[in-house]
Structures are given as C-alpha cells and as structure tokens.
Amino acid sequence: MQEKGSISIHTENIFPIIKKFLYSDHEIFLRELVSNAVDATQKLKSLAQLGEFKGELGELKVRVTVDKEARKITISDRGLGMTAEEIKKYINQIAFSGATEFVEQYKEKDAATKDQIIGQFGLGFYSAFMVAKEVEIWSKSYKDDTLTAHWTCDGSTEFTLEEPTGEHAKAERGTDVVLHVAEDSDEFLEPARLKGILTKYCKFLPIEIEFEGETINQTAPIWTKQPSELTDEDYVKFYQELYPFSEPPLFWIHLNVDYPFNLTGILYFPKVKDELQFQRNKIQLYSRQVFITDEVKDVVPEFLMLLHGVIDSPDIPLNVSRSFLQADAAVRKINTYITKKVADKLSSLFKQDRAGYEAKWSDIGLFVKYGMLSDEKFYDKAKDFALVQNVAGKLFTLPEYQEFVQANQKDKNEQTVVLYTTDAEAQHGFVQAATERGYDVLELNGPLDSHFIGQLEQKLEKTTFKRVDADTVGKLIEKEETTESVLSDDDKTKLQELFKEAISNEQMHVQVEALSPQDAPVIITLPEFMRRMKDMQRSGGGGGMQMFGSLPDSYTVSVNANHPVAQRVLHAEGEAGQKLARQAFDLALLAQNMLKGEALTAFVKRSADLLAAE
C-alpha cells in the first residue's frame, strides 16, 4: 500500500531556503546523515545492553557508497531502523516542523543573523536537500513483525510513503538514505571529495564508518579513554596524527569532567617560541566525537588559542553559531574550567620539576605572558610560575626577583627600580655600566614584553621599570648620595654652550652632569616615558594621541663634567673645542647605532685626521 501526502507547512519554497541558508557549507550534509546513522546504531547497542533488544547485533557499521553513473550517494546503517509510522513522526512531523519554524523565523531575519536560528531545530536530515534533487529512505525497524518502510521526497512539499513486500522489501534491520544528486552538486559524486568530508568530520566517530571498502575512522580516540590507560607514547602518537608535520609537543593536559557539564579532550602545548606568528585554529571542537569546527575562540579563552588538541562536549550542539557560543552558560563554564586546568598544569610542572620547567620556558614564556595580559584570573595563578631572565641567563619568579633586587635597586623614594634591556648587544655599554654598579639587568626582548612591563608596574607594589639606556646609570636609580663635579658652575655653562653649538640639533637636549670619570664623555639617552609613548604610537595604542601627529624625537645628551674630554673641550682654542665636542658627540651616536650615512663618513674622516695629527 502506498501513501501519498503533503507536508503541512505554510510556505511552498521551504526547500530552496533550506538549500541556500541552512548551512554555509553544503558539505555538512554528509556529516549530518552519517551522524544520524551512528546515533541509530548506538541506540540499538544501548537497547541490547539493557536487554530490550535480544536479537543478534551482527556487524554494526555505517557504510557510505557513491555511484557516479547513477548519480547516487547512499548512507546505510544497521541500527534501530524505523517503521512507516515512525518515519511520519520523525521525518514528516518533528524535523519538518522544525524546518517550518526555521523558515517562519528566517523571514524576520536577515542573512547576517540566520546562524542564530540554526541549531534550534531538528534540521539535520533535511540538509540532504542541499545537494539532492530527490531523497529516499529505506528502513526496517529492529522490532519484530514490522515491514519495510520506503519514503520518497523530490524536494517539494509532497512525499510518498509505502511498505513494499517481497523482493522490494529490505532484508535487514536498519536504514538506507539514498540521495539522488542534483546537477549543480557534481562535486559530491567524486569519491575523493566524499572521502575528504568523511575524514574531516567523521574521523573519530564511535561506530565504524566504511567508504569504498576502507574504514575512515578511529572509533575510540584517546580522549575517550582514562589517562591511566595511556602512555606518553600514546599522547605523542595521537598528536602526530592530528598534526603530521609538527614538532613533538612539550606536554599536554587530559580533560575529563562530567559535572557541572560534560567535557573530555586533550590540549597540547606546542613550541611557540618568541614570535607573534601564532598558529591559531589548531584546537578541534567535537560533539560526541563528531567534528564541529576548529574556530573555538568562544569556547577557549583567547590566549589558549595557542594550544593544539581536541575538545569534545555533548553540551555543545552540532550547529553552533558565534552568537550561541557567546551566550551559552555551559560554554562560559567550559571556558573557565579550561583556564583553571591549564594554570594548574603549569603550576604543577613548575613545582614538581623546576629545572625541566625552566628548560621549556623559552617555548612557553610567550604563552604564559599572553595569558597573564588577557585574563585576570590566569594572572593571579601565573604570577607564581611566570619567569623572568637576567642578562647572565638566570631565571627568577616575579616574587624571587623582587626579593633579589630590592636591597640594591631601591631609589631614594623607596621605589624598586627594575632595569632591563631589549637588546643586550645593541645596549651593551649601558648594560655594562649598570652591572659594574652592581645592578641586575633583565632581558625583556619578546614581542609582548612592552605590554608585560606595563602590567607588572600596575601589579607590583612600589616597582618601576627602566630600560638601561633611558638615562645615565646614576640617574636610573637615584640615590641620596651625589657625585661632585670638578667644574665650576661657569665652566659647566660654557661647556654646555660649546656642545650645543657643535651639535646644533633641536632634538638633542644638552646637559652637563657630574658622572664618574670612568663613564663615557658623552651619553645619549631617550627617556623611558618618551620611548614608551613613541612605542605606543607606533603600535597604534596611543588612542587620542594620534590626533596630535607623531611625537618628535627628544633625546638627552649628558656631557660628563668629570671626564678628561670635558677639560680638553673647555681649554681648546678657537674652533678646536667645537670639533672635539662634535667628535665626542658622534662617538656617543656611534655607541647608540645612531650615526649613519654622511654623518658617519664625516666622523670616520675626522677620526683619521685626528690620528694623523697626533
């Protein structure tokens, strides 16, 4: 007996809308249909375990086949199967009522908001019509004394449903969904294309998936197992399967929680190094082992996007959208939980094997700093295992370093001054001057360190950071004691004028200072505040500063009153004093790598002439 019917909906154009707007990518149809087949198979296994199905389970496998000549794709399972009445209920009524609701709500929305609707309705089966002009269902229920059910729909609102017998009946329990592929979807008749889709979305489904005689998936990926069942080799092997050409991971975290939400997964720490070329979208999001997306920025905190691995949660539906993820309470809890687990793992590694942790710091330091800058809760935990390194190569935690320098590097205002270099080679003279004074100098040369310094100044009590070339060494950490000048006030004024005339540059502000005779005759510095403001402007972080245009360069030229060169400049006759002053200034420029082009050529010539004159 054949039944014909019309699906009760309020619009005649539901299929074009489904085809155009249901999913942004039509390849999803295969994920949806295979997932349905897996669900039907798993449900039958559950009934068998409960004793409600006493028959032979046999080989439980989902098969996908393609017949290019006949233009057919078939997805077959040996799961629960459906009777004709169940098809009416689950295909014609429940799923299609969801489709109708989708259309009705979509009418009130624009394309930009359609993703807010998707995922609320049981539309998975109807994704078939994105690529098919006609879909058939052949199904036989697991229940005794039931007939084959055959449902057909050509993409209109009409369907036929019959219960064929004899040679047309389905011999075994289960369901075959047959797609008659539309002319505009030829790509899905190519075996390589189908295999690629299956590998992408179905690689870890819990029921064996066969395509063209080949098993596509691992039914029990390691994140579904207990950590006690796994070895380090298992974790590394799985990582290499996910990322075939990557270096081995540094370490990993196995996630496994069932309250207040369900979550499993493995997060790997890759080698990040000191660069900002973060490899994002390396974490794969699954729902019951079905791949959803690798865009997980709303599930995983921003800074954890540097990690690799897998997260699987049945609390996240297949049809996720940005708006859903941002608003969903379970997702927010998952986000918080993952942050805590990562912080706990790093803390544990630091406490249990500090030497091993320090050896990994060059690989994970950028990641930890990124986390501290972007997540307040992570900062609170990480401040005890974040490390800083001095120019001698020694690593300290932040509390350790404060303790290390506070006795010697407190200024007259009781502020602890942390000295640092961003380039120990280029700033070597300044580093040397600081270390000869007994000061310690940190290396803070990473891409995030300028921001990290700003954060630490806010967080650490009575602590300020100064780059070693921000001032003369005596002024970097101002003490109560002062160095006396051998020059009178009149001599200092005369010396200042001589250097101003020799330099003749408004960006260079000359001052005469009583420095140590061992210091350089002239020292050029860019004050810390000025340099930070210029850095902010270059990075676009200056906010309203941009409206005032670029900040002009403004350097301090410190002339050492106690250096023999000062005496020679003062007592030279005629233009000789200015020439000596210019030579000393150019030496300072050269030390700062600021002497270039024509000025460098002139300096070399003057130096040669001076040598010849001697």
Side-chain angles (χ1 to χ4, degrees), residues 395-420:
L395 289 159
F396 304 82
T397 65
L398 297 174
E400 287 170 351
Y401 196 71
Q402 281 184 289
E403 181 71 24
F404 181 66
V405 298
Q406 68 175 352
N408 195 35
Q409 291 182 209
K410 273 192 177 177
D411 65 13
K412 62 185 180 181
N413 299 314
E414 291 297 304
Q415 284 269 333
T416 298
V417 180
V418 176
L419 302 180
Y420 69 96

Side-chain angles (χ1 to χ4, degrees), residues 64-75 177-182 185-186 188-191 194 211-212:
V64 180
T65 57
V66 58
D67 185 333
K68 192 171 180 178
E69 289 189 12
R71 302 186 63 83
K72 290 196 300 187
I73 299 170
T74 303
I75 297 94
V177 177
V178 182
L179 279 61
H180 297 267
V181 177
S185 297
D186 283 354
F188 298 110
L189 291 170
E190 298 297 331
L194 293 179
F211 177 66
E212 307 286 279

Side-chain angles (χ1 to χ4, degrees), residues 198-258:
L198 290 168
T199 302
K200 178 178 179 180
Y201 292 104
C202 307
K203 188 174 182 179
F204 300 112
L205 281 174
I207 300 296
E208 189 176 331
I209 313 298
E210 184 182 279
F211 177 66
E212 307 286 279
E214 180 185 350
T215 298
I216 294 295
N217 59 322
Q218 299 177 33
T219 58
I222 68 170
W223 78 79
T224 64
K225 300 175 182 178
Q226 292 298 317
S228 58
E229 301 175 50
L230 301 166
T231 64
D232 287 356
E233 289 74 18
D234 292 326
Y235 287 107
V236 173
K237 182 182 177 184
F238 183 64
Y239 183 82
Q240 289 169 342
E241 288 173 9
L242 292 175
Y243 314 105
F245 302 107
S246 299
E247 290 184 75
L250 295 167
F251 46 89
W252 48 85
I253 301 170
H254 196 132
L255 306 169
N256 193 347
V257 62
D258 54 18

